[in-house]
């Protein structure tokens, strides 16, 4: 085997961008701007370089690149991709057949069929086959090669799949790689398995375990590994005994560990296994030379008709470094940062400022070894042309945590980051790729590095033209894989930087997008370099809905109270905030001359008047706005001559008011009109912030503004998309409500925001008022007097009052006198009314408004913790039972039975449930009161002390329960609950909201965290995290399915009661994006369980399998469900839309089930 030390030919390639649709006025403006900046100097010269081959172990651990989930056709019929494919490319472009001239003197044609995930192997394989076919009859061993390749996603198309099966039927060799989507894996297996014994060789490199069983090289067959008594078999059994997930997981571990296993095998029995490993090395080498030798090796060893190849000498794989630093102009690849810097700092072609920002780039190794790196070279050159130094790293697998630690820290001080910003150009999670991620490991690595982390995207499943022409932008499935997963690591700014050629499959630079990525990366890096006293920050407040006196408002947030806290924090940190007002009210009055100020009026302070010539000079896309708004200045945010920017400057901080949508009579019009655009005043505001005020960062304050909802592609902005144009190159920080991850995700993806969560105020019981309160008092009097002669009169009063309060619409009330019904029936009537009153009284309403950086009051903490404590949590360690469950057990009752009886109006259980509810509140109140400071708010120090003293004195909850019927509650289980509540209280009172802002402004990494309901998922706490949604392939979780089971049973039972004992045949349900994020897919699971289907994870933990629940186990009919999906759910959960469709079809196809037990089939 030849190991090349790192020498390689310099690459100076930049692929030309494909011509796209006619440029808009805005694009023309940007082109002029690029020319003015001298962008032409950054064009690279075309060239190629030799491929690089990974070491053996790395080859085995290389995870998949980007498996694609289920298809949902989002294009109209007749469009280029109406067949449901992401791309309209034809597999025939990958077919190479030897010509008659090439076959002269040759006797054998070997046919090779391959399936790969991405297209970068296409050019290398085609070149390798052409080189083989161009050999003469002697040096080719009399063999010609026919090859045809399929991208994995193309197999979804019925016509392509039929062609694939025909090709496999006539093939000698089958090759598969990175097949990690179960439904597509099944298609591959169905086509290849019947031909496996006939095929001369079948090679499957890291893929789903079921696909890897297809491997066959002579005696080497992974399908038999578990049956023999070989060293490999022993290895498999050992992994099983270690509980590593059964055969499938053991097989994946075997692939990673095979090199170390082979050395124990006798050489005469290991040749086929060695050939498999040799093939892996050739394959992952990727260059045309390596792939040519790979094909020769397989044909020589396993194709009987290629016997003449025995005399042909085949070169060993050329192996390059597994991990290293690559640069298009470097004479070598470097495995040490010092060596790289020795070359870099002595370059003759470039000089850098002493304090130049340093940007780290993360690259995919396969693009380098296959020579498909022009888009990487263009990014490096653009950064350097802007004055930034670049450290581009790569690794053999997709675990980049090791290379990050090795290459991104200062060689003279290993505790200090050498880079100022990291931009991943892979489009994948930092650790593990799309098949199996390790987000905690990635987060720990990035926290240690502590610099901003951006993840830019190459187009994978679309050609450049398809993306450019699409109003959707990046397809939702690629969003799930290459946007949602990196967000779990804390990745920011999903900007597309490269396209894909439909004919060659090669990547090419999208230069205007690369400019955006590079300018923004440098701005993030500058936050680490610039002195605090010189930094400029723009705080943007909103006015929505317009013309309602709502300037400076946001969901659940005291905006100006919070801004005042932020300004004080900035002042303490050394920022120039000028002369601050004494109070937050004075601050508000300095920006708004009226506390109920309306936008575009004299009530707002004018911070800047921008003349029309200045506006036209600075805003390069303003002509594109004229179609909707006429020439500048227009009629909004103007005095007739100038464009007005509302707000006020405080030193280096500008508090500005974001302009309205512009369509005051119909503010939603802008969201739905394809031809709409922001008005000149809106464009002038962001033009002022970037080019006049020259903000180093903008802070959008609260949920939510309108920037992220401006017209443009949904995800994967082009330079013709207004959110991209408006935000420009300014780092965008955004305080967003923790309970709204779905819209925070829109802000993150469309306006490139680092969304930092803030705590929503806790929900408190709504209480009763007027007639309802009087009715409650009547119910209370009945409970004490029901056996007296006044009992019947009180029931009559309750019925009359209930009718006055319109409760007769929700409760069955007798029409006659109460004396005509039995006492038990009177109890049921009163119990049903009482249950409804409790339901109304306990409805939750948010109490107050949150202030950034302000700990909650005792009342707010009680409301939050009571709700947290009410839920059973089997998923935590140790598992915790909710307080209602424990209190019910203490009186020998089951809480589920109490709930059911309360629903039926059983008076005793209605009372018992109310007693349990009040006891829970009393216990939590006593607990919280231990941590209250003099100002009535929770003191962090007290919470910490309380945790340490737990058990040292009588627990506060014990005092509370001793006054109730629940004093026998299990002490051990109660301690678990209150230890958990103490932890939750610590998270609630942590001041991470202000701290995260300060970190972001220092150019540091803001730790990511889930958004959602902090009651259901306390992992949302502490707030101040960089909000992400969730892995869309991971829902519904097993915990969500368990919770959904309880809800479905209760719902069907209640509907059965309301339906005279008959099961409901149809239930309607709405699937909301935010709700499913908060509950990890609980409502999605409810739909499936109603029809009697259980979602199941595959071998890699992704939920894409279904299991039909037999009627005997279900114990009821399959309920038909009418589902309405929100747009956010549709776009975020394309996988689950398909899963839902498959679940309904599975239920409907059970022809042996009677119609009265399968309403899905019946309808």
């Amino acid at each position: 085997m030849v190991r090349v030390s790192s020498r390689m030919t310099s690459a100076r390639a930049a692929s030309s961008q494909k011509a796209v649709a006619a440029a808009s006025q805005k694009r023309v403006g940007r082109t002029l701007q690029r020319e003015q900046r001298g962008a032409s100097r950054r064009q690279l010269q075309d060239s190629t370089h030799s491929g690089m081959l990974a070491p053996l172990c790395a080859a085995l651990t290389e995870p998949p690149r980007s498996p694609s989930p289920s298809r949902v056709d989002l294009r109209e019929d007749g469009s280029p991709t109406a067949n449901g494919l992401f791309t309209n490319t034809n597999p025939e472009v990958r077919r190479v057949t030897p010509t008659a001239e090439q076959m002269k003197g040759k006797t054998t044609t070997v046919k090779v069929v391959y399936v790969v995930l991405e297209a970068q192997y296409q050019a290398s394989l085609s070149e390798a086959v052409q080189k083989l076919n161009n050999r003469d009859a002697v040096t080719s061993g009399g063999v010609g090669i026919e090859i045809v390749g399929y991208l994995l996603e193309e197999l979804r198309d019925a016509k392509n799949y039929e062609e694939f099966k025909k090709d496999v039927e006539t093939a000698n060799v089958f090759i598969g790689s990175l097949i990690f989507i179960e439904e597509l894996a099944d298609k591959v297996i169905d086509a290849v398995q019947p031909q496996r014994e006939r095929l001369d060789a079948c090679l499957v490199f890291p893929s789903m375990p079921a696909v890897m069983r297809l491997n066959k090289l002579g005696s080497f067959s992974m399908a038999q590994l578990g049956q023999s008594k070989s060293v490999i078999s022993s290895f498999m059994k050992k992994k099983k005994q270690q509980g590593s997930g059964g055969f499938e997981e053991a097989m994946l571990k075997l692939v990673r560990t095979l090199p170390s296993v082979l050395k124990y095998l006798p050489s005469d029995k290991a040749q086929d296994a060695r050939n498999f490993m040799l093939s892996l090395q050739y394959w992952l080498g990727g260059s045309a030379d390596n792939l040519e030798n790979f094909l020769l090796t397989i044909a020589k060893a396993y194709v009987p008709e290629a016997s003449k190849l025995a005399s042909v000498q085949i070169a060993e794989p050329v192996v390059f470094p597994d991990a290293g630093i690559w640069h298009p102009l470097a004479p070598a690849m470097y495995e040490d940062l010092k060596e790289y810097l020795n070359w870099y700092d002595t370059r003759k072609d470039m000089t850098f400022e002493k304090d130049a920002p340093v940007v780290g780039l993360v690259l995919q190794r396969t693009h380098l070894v296959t020579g498909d790196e022009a888009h990487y070279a263009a990014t490096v050159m653009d950064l350097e042309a802007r004055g930034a130094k670049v450290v581009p790293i790569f690794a053999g697998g997709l675990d980049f945590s090791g290379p990050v630690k090795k290459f991104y820290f200062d060689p003279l001080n290993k505790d200090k980051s050498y880079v100022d910003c990291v931009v991943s150009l892979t489009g994948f999670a930092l650790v593990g790729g799309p098949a199996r991620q390790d987000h905690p490991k990635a987060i720990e690595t990035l926290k240690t590095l502590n610099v901003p982390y951006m993840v830019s995207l190459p187009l994978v499943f679309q050609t450049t033209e398809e993306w450019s022409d699409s109003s959707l932008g990046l397809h939702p499935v690629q969003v799930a894989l290459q946007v949602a997963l990196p967000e779990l690591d804390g990745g920011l700014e999903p900007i597309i930087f490269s396209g894909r050629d439909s004919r060659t499959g090669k990547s090419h630079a999208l230069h205007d997008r690369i400019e955006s990525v590079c300018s923004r990366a440098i701005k993030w890096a500058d936050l680490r370099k610039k002195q605090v006293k010189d930094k400029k920050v723009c705080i943007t407040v909103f006015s929505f809905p317009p013309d309602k006196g709502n300037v400076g408002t946001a969901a659940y947030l005291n905006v100006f109270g919070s801004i005042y806290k932020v300004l004080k924090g900035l002042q303490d940190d050394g920022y120039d905030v000028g002369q601050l007002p004494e109070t937050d009210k004075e601050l508000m009055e300095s920006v708004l001359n009226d506390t109920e100020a309306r936008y575009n009026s004299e009530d707002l302070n004018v911070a800047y008047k921008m003349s029309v010539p200045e506006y036209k000079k600075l805003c390069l896309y303003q002509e594109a706005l004229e179609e909707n708004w006429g020439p500048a200045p227009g009629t909004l945010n103007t005095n007739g001559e100038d464009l007005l920017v509302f707000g006020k400057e405080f030193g280096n901080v500008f508090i500005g008011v974001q302009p309205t949508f512009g369509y005051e009579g119909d503010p939603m019009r802008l969201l739905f009109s394809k031809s709409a655009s922001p008005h000149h005043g809106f464009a002038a505001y962001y033009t002022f912030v970037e080019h006049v005020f020259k903000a180093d960062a903008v802070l959008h304050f609260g949920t939510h503004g309108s920037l992220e909802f401006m017209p443009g592609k949904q995800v994967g902005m082009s330079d013709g998309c207004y959110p991209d144009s408006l935000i420009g190159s300014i780092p965008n920080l955004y305080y967003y409500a923790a309970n709204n991850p779905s819209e925070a995700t829109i802000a993150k993806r469309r306006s490139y925001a680092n969304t930092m969560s803030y705590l929503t105020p806790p929900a408190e019981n709504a209480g009763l008022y007027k007639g309802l309160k009087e009715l409650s008092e009547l119910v209370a009097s009945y409970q004490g007097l029901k056996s007296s002669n006044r009992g019947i009169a009180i029931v009559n009063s309750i019925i009359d009052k209930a009718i006055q309060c319109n409760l007769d619409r929700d409760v069955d009330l007798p029409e006659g006198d109460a004396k005509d019904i039995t006492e038990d029936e009177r109890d049921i009537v009163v119990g049903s009314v009482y249950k409804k009153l409790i339901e109304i009284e306990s409805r939750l309403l948010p109490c107050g408004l949150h202030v950034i950086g302000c700990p909650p009051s005792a009342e707010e903490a009680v409301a939050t913790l009571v709700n947290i404590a009410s839920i059973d949590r089997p998923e935590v360690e140790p598992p915790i039972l909710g307080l209602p469950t424990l209190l019910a057990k203490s009186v020998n009752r089951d809480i589920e039975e109490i709930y059911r009886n309360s629903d039926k109006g059983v008076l005793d259980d209605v009372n018992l449930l109310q007693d349990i509810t009040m006891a829970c509140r009393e216990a939590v109140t006593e607990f919280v009161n231990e941590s209250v400071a003099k100002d009535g708010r929770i003191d962090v120090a007290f919470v910490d002390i309380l945790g340490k003293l737990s058990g040292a004195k009588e627990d506060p909850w014990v005092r509370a329960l001793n006054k109730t019927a629940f004093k026998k509650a299990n002490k051990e289980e109660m301690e678990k609950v209150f230890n958990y509540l103490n932890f939750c209280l610590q998270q609630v009172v942590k001041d991470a909201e202000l701290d995260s802002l300060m970190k972001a402004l220092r150019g540091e990494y803001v730790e990511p965290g889930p958004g959602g309901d902090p009651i259901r998922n306390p992992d949302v706490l502490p707030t101040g995290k960089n909000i992400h949604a969730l892995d869309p392939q991971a829902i519904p979780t097993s915990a969500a399915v368990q919770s959904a089971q309880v809800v479905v049973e209760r719902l069907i039972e209640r509907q059965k009661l309301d339906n005279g004992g008959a099961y409901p045949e149809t239930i309607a349900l709405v699937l909301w994006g935010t709700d499913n994020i908060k509950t990890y897919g609980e409502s999605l699971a409810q739909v499936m369980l109603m029809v009697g289907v259980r979602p199941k994870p595959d071998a890699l933990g992704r939920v894409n399998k279904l299991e039909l629940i037999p009627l005997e186990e279900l114990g009821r009919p399959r309920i038909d469900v009418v589902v309405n999906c929100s747009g956010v759910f549709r776009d975020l959960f394309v996988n689950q839309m398909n899963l839902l469709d498959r679940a309904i079809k599975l239920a409907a196809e059970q022809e042996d089930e009677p119609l009265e037990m399968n309403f899905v089939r019946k309808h």
Side-chain angles (χ1 to χ4, degrees), residues 405-425:
K405 293 173 183 175
K406 183 176 181 181
F407 301 122
Y408 281 164
F409 286 88
D410 193 324
L412 302 179
N413 181 359
K414 289 298 182 182
D415 295 327
K416 181 183 176 184
S417 165
Y418 180 76
V419 297
D420 299 304
C421 177
V422 171
V423 184
S424 172
L425 302 182

Side-chain angles (χ1 to χ4, degrees), residues 767-784 794 797-799 801-802 805 807 830 833-842 907 910-911 914:
L768 299 176
Y769 57 93
K770 294 185 180 178
L772 293 174
K773 194 165 187 178
E774 294 173 17
L775 185 57
S776 178
E777 291 168 356
L778 284 170
V779 170
S781 66
Y782 172 77
Q783 294 180 51
I794 294 173
S797 297
I798 288 173
I799 292 170
K801 198 69 180 177
C805 295
L807 293 189
V830 175
V833 171
Y834 189 28
K835 177 184 74 73
K836 193 63 186 177
L837 286 173
I838 292 172
E839 191 177 298
I840 294 170
E841 183 179 14
S842 59
L907 186 57
V910 173
N911 281 325
Q914 179 69 352

Side-chain angles (χ1 to χ4, degrees), residues 746-767:
I746 293 172
K748 181 185 291 289
R749 296 174 184 177
R750 299 191 84 242
S751 67
Y752 313 141
N754 184 339
T755 48
M756 299 170 296
S757 62
Y758 62 82
L759 191 66
T760 52
E764 186 55 277
N765 290 346

Side-chain angles (χ1 to χ4, degrees), residues 542 553-559 562 566 699-705 734-741 743-744 754-762 848-854 988 990-994 996 1010-1014 1020-1027:
F542 311 124
T553 59
Y556 308 118
L557 188 67
N558 178 340
V559 172
S562 297
V566 166
L699 171 62
H700 288 94
F701 219 96
T703 307
H704 58 72
Y734 208 141
Y735 271 134
Y736 224 92
N739 69 347
N740 193 353
E743 289 186 315
N754 184 339
T755 48
M756 299 170 296
S757 62
Y758 62 82
L759 191 66
T760 52
L849 295 173
H850 179 65
V851 176
I852 297 291
C854 188
V988 169
K990 279 185 179 177
D991 184 16
E993 294 169 353
L994 201 53
S996 293
D1013 180 8
V1020 170
L1021 304 170
T1023 47
K1025 294 176 181 175
N1026 176 7
I1027 303 178

Side-chain angles (χ1 to χ4, degrees), residues 995-1035:
D995 185 51
S996 293
L997 173 63
M998 297 306 175
K999 283 183 177 179
L1001 289 174
R1002 289 194 295 266
E1004 296 178 5
Y1005 175 75
V1006 177
E1007 185 176 349
D1013 180 8
I1015 304 301
R1016 181 178 290 272
N1017 180 20
D1019 287 342
V1020 170
L1021 304 170
T1023 47
K1025 294 176 181 175
N1026 176 7
I1027 303 178
H1028 60 68
L1030 44 72
D1031 179 355
Q1033 299 180 90
I1035 70 165

Side-chain angles (χ1 to χ4, degrees), residues 335-403:
E335 298 180 77
D336 181 81
L337 180 59
K338 287 183 182 178
E339 290 182 14
Y340 174 75
L341 295 178
N342 286 339
W343 166 77
Y344 199 85
D345 293 338
T346 57
R347 286 170 61 184
K348 305 297 184 187
D349 60 317
M350 294 289 291
T351 56
F352 297 95
E353 296 292 334
K354 185 178 179 181
D355 198 31
V358 181
V359 177
L361 297 179
V362 179
L363 313 179
Q364 245 184 307
R365 179 181 170 278
T366 52
H367 281 281
L368 302 178
V369 299
T370 57
D372 183 24
E373 81 301 294
H375 52 320
Y376 292 161
T379 306
V380 171
M381 293 304 165
D382 195 289
L383 283 167
E384 291 182 343
R386 295 170 188 275
K389 293 183 176 182
V390 188
V391 183
I393 67 170
F394 67 90
L398 278 182
D399 181 351
F400 283 93
S401 59

Side-chain angles (χ1 to χ4, degrees), residues 236-427:
M236 298 286 287
K237 290 177 181 176
K238 181 180 177 183
K239 290 300 178 185
K240 281 187 180 182
Q241 292 166 1
Q242 291 173 356
S244 55
F247 180 77
E248 290 83 0
E249 179 62 23
M251 188 178 291
L252 286 175
K253 290 181 181 294
L254 174 65
V255 173
R256 302 184 190 116
T257 320
L258 203 51
S260 60
V261 174
L262 285 177
K263 63 185 179 182
Y264 298 109
L265 293 177
S267 59
D268 59 332
K269 293 184 179 180
Q271 187 56 50
D272 292 321
R274 293 181 192 280
N275 282 342
F276 178 77
M277 298 311 303
L278 196 64
S279 299
L280 267 172
Q281 290 175 287
Y282 280 127
W283 178 259
L284 291 167
S287 67
D289 288 342
N290 275 319
L291 294 177
E292 180 183 6
N293 290 323
F294 162 57
L295 294 173
L296 283 173
T297 298
I298 297 303
K300 179 178 180 178
Y302 300 105
V303 179
E305 296 84 356
S307 57
K308 292 182 180 178
L309 277 171
S311 61
V312 176
Q313 293 297 311
I314 302 173
E316 290 283 316
V318 179
V319 181
F320 285 86
D322 173 37
I325 306 173
W326 170 90
H327 191 285
L329 301 180
M333 296 175 69
Y334 297 93
E335 298 180 77
D336 181 81
L337 180 59
K338 287 183 182 178
E339 290 182 14
Y340 174 75
L341 295 178
N342 286 339
W343 166 77
Y344 199 85
D345 293 338
T346 57
R347 286 170 61 184
K348 305 297 184 187
D349 60 317
M350 294 289 291
T351 56
F352 297 95
E353 296 292 334
K354 185 178 179 181
D355 198 31
V358 181
V359 177
L361 297 179
V362 179
L363 313 179
Q364 245 184 307
R365 179 181 170 278
T366 52
H367 281 281
L368 302 178
V369 299
T370 57
D372 183 24
E373 81 301 294
H375 52 320
Y376 292 161
T379 306
V380 171
M381 293 304 165
D382 195 289
L383 283 167
E384 291 182 343
R386 295 170 188 275
K389 293 183 176 182
V390 188
V391 183
I393 67 170
F394 67 90
L398 278 182
D399 181 351
F400 283 93
S401 59
V404 164
K405 293 173 183 175
K406 183 176 181 181
F407 301 122
Y408 281 164
F409 286 88
D410 193 324
L412 302 179
N413 181 359
K414 289 298 182 182
D415 295 327
K416 181 183 176 184
S417 165
Y418 180 76
V419 297
D420 299 304
C421 177
V422 171
V423 184
S424 172
L425 302 182
T426 68

Side-chain angles (χ1 to χ4, degrees), residues 148-160:
V148 60
Y150 292 81
L151 299 182
L152 189 60
E153 280 299 321
E154 291 172 343
L155 299 184
R156 294 187 188 273
D157 179 72
K159 182 180 176 183
N160 286 342

